Amino acid sequence: MAIGSDTQGTVRRPSIWNDPKTRAILYQAIVVVILTLFAAYFINNTAENLERRGIASGFSFLSAPAGFDVGMSPFLKYDPATATHGTVLIVGILNTLLVAFTGIILATVVGFIVGILRLSPNWLVSRLAYCYVETLRNIPLLLQLLFWYVAVLGSLPSKRESISLFDTFFLNIEGLFGPLPLPQPGFWAIPVAVTLAVVLVFAVNRWARRRQDATGQQFPVFPVSAGLLIALPLITAAVAGFPLEFEHPQQNRFGLRGGMIILPEFAALVLGLSLYTGAFIAEIVRAGIQAINRGQSEAAHALGLRPGPTLRLVIIPQALRVIVPPLTSQYLNLTKNSSLAVAIGGAEIVAVFAGTSLNQAGQAIEIIAITMAFYLAVSLLISMFMNWYNRRIALVER
């Protein structure tokens, strides 16, 4: 007689408590019930506390007047007299995206340069790059931001003693002043020309790659692309009569007024984030290059390639498959670390919306929820883009 069978030959089922599948479903159901009860208690308790304090819930506060200045709004005209908390939210989002975009570009450039210099055969150059990496990545980012803002930018001359650069740019404790471009009628043709130039660059790059695959002959893609990106907008601007004027900063009794200004808070934040994240990216680039087999370089040299083209055409494209996944984490860290601007008076979303607006409106739950949703959305978008790029450069297995 088989084990688990009765005398009539039928299979005996185990009890419910001894069935692993049933037990797993039961445990998960218990966890869901506990979480539901906890969430219900949390929501009910929060609603009672808000009602007891006379705080109305909802998002109607977004249309209420803000009544304060945000200090920096390069993409949106901000008037403290008429701005609402919704306007503050938009300004904070745009400023955060500007800091994240600028910081990612600069950190990538710094990281790749320092990472390559770390592998330089020149002892002094490689040691300097090593000192940069070990120094910046072992000092807290908040301390570095305070260093740039207080010790470096805070020691600039007063607004009456500005440092003049070619009588066009002026640097003082209030920031860097420069000409502000003012588009004139007909300016629309220039962005169209730039877009057309970018499309042509992609087309030339694709055609050159196919030509090289078919014939083995290289095409000077970089100078042709640079020529298109510079010449086409310039020719269009000349035909349209250069429809762009500049508003230069003017000195008066209260200091410089007018023109374009880069505030010290923004400069300190971008500098600190870029140099700090660049140190981590440098190590990622160094490790990615060292992950490539030395035989690749030797084969390229045997074909007559010099060190520069070998690095650019052979090593870096293969190293990117190792570099991109950890690079994504650094981009996410830089974006989230932009919230430290609140320590130096920045104008990003945490400082102006989750800080000043929250103190005035008192809608803590709604404001914090919106801020968290914004960072979550931006992080997911960055991850999606980097994952797409990683799949694009991955090896195609047959």
Side-chain angles (χ1 to χ4, degrees):
M1 185 178 65
I3 298 176
S5 301
D6 56 15
T7 54
Q8 285 75 27
T10 58
V11 178
R12 182 183 301 169
R13 292 184 176 180
S15 66
I16 294 178
W17 299 109
N18 293 330
D19 186 359
K21 186 176 181 181
T22 306
R23 254 199 336 264
I25 295 175
L26 180 62
Y27 291 156
Q28 293 180 45
I30 293 174
V31 171
V32 170
V33 170
I34 293 175
L35 290 178
T36 304
L37 291 175
F38 177 77
Y41 169 78
F42 179 77
I43 294 173
N44 182 58
N45 188 46
T46 303
E48 288 181 356
N49 289 334
L50 291 176
E51 185 178 359
R52 191 179 303 119
R53 297 183 181 183
I55 300 176
S57 59
F59 297 93
S60 59
F61 73 95
L62 291 174
S63 58
F68 62 90
D69 194 1
V70 296
M72 171 182 165
S73 179
F75 302 109
L76 185 66
K77 187 176 181 180
Y78 185 89
D79 186 1
T82 59
T84 63
H85 291 295
T87 310
V88 174
L89 171 62
I90 296 174
V91 171
I93 289 176
L94 294 177
N95 289 346
T96 303
L97 294 178
L98 176 62
V99 169
F101 179 77
T102 309
I104 286 174
I105 298 296
L106 293 178
T108 304
V109 173
V110 171
F112 269 77
I113 292 176
V114 177
I116 293 172
L117 294 180
R118 284 274 284 121
L119 301 173
S120 172
N122 187 304
W123 183 87
L124 180 60
V125 172
S126 64
R127 288 296 95 184
L128 288 176
Y130 171 78
C131 291
Y132 165 80
V133 171
E134 295 301 327
T135 301
L136 267 73
R137 74 174 183 173
N138 289 303
I139 296 177
L141 175 58
L142 180 58
L143 191 58
Q144 294 189 36
L145 293 180
L146 292 175
F147 167 77
W148 287 109
Y149 182 64
V150 177
V152 177
L153 299 180
S155 61
L156 290 173
S158 65
K159 54 187 178 182
R160 294 181 181 274
E161 301 173 348
S162 303
I163 300 174
S164 175
L165 303 174
F166 309 108
D167 289 333
T168 304
F169 297 92
F170 302 91
L171 183 64
N172 59 36
I173 198 169
E174 288 187 329
L176 175 64
F177 292 79
L180 176 66
L182 299 174
Q184 301 298 313
F187 181 78
W188 60 269
I190 297 178
V192 172
V194 172
T195 305
L196 180 60
V198 172
V199 173
L200 289 176
V201 166
F202 276 103
V204 169
N205 191 16
R206 191 169 183 177
W207 170 80
R209 190 177 304 168
R210 290 183 175 180
R211 177 174 178 264
Q212 184 174 357
D213 292 340
T215 64
Q217 297 179 352
Q218 291 185 346
F219 185 79
V221 175
F222 181 76
V224 173
S225 301
L228 285 172
L229 289 173
I230 296 174
L232 196 55
L234 277 179
I235 294 174
T236 305
V239 172
F242 295 100
L244 186 65
E245 295 182 355
F246 292 92
E247 177 189 301
H248 294 270
Q250 301 294 329
Q251 180 76 43
N252 57 26
R253 56 184 299 185
F254 300 107
L256 289 165
R257 290 295 178 265
M260 182 178 64
I261 178 174
I262 299 178
L263 296 175
E265 294 82 5
F266 176 80
L269 183 61
V270 171
L271 272 175
L273 289 174
S274 304
L275 296 178
Y276 177 77
T277 310
F280 289 90
I281 294 178
E283 283 301 275
I284 294 173
V285 171
R286 179 190 61 80
I289 293 175
Q290 288 185 325
I292 305 303
N293 194 306
R294 184 182 295 271
Q296 297 288 322
S297 301
E298 296 173 352
H301 294 157
L303 292 173
L305 287 178
R306 292 171 295 176
T310 299
L311 182 67
R312 191 176 69 253
L313 301 175
V314 178
I315 304 302
I316 294 295
Q318 299 183 73
L320 280 178
R321 297 168 186 140
V322 182
I323 292 173
V324 168
L327 191 63
T328 304
S329 299
Q330 296 305 320
Y331 288 171
L332 296 176
N333 289 337
L334 188 147
T335 303
K336 291 181 287 187
N337 287 336
S338 65
S339 61
L340 292 175
V342 69
I344 57 174
E348 49 78 54
I349 186 171
V350 174
V352 298
F353 186 65
T356 310
S357 284
L358 190 151
N359 289 330
Q360 291 199 1
Q363 304 290 137
I365 296 177
E366 292 84 355
I367 289 178
I368 295 300
I370 292 174
T371 307
M372 292 171 65
F374 165 72
Y375 278 106
L376 177 63
V378 172
S379 297
L380 291 177
L381 288 175
I382 293 175
S383 298
M384 290 172 59
F385 174 77
M386 294 301 291
N387 288 335
W388 167 81
Y389 181 67
N390 190 36
R391 288 194 299 270
R392 184 176 176 81
I393 63 174
L395 285 174
V396 179
E397 299 181 356
R398 300 178 180 175

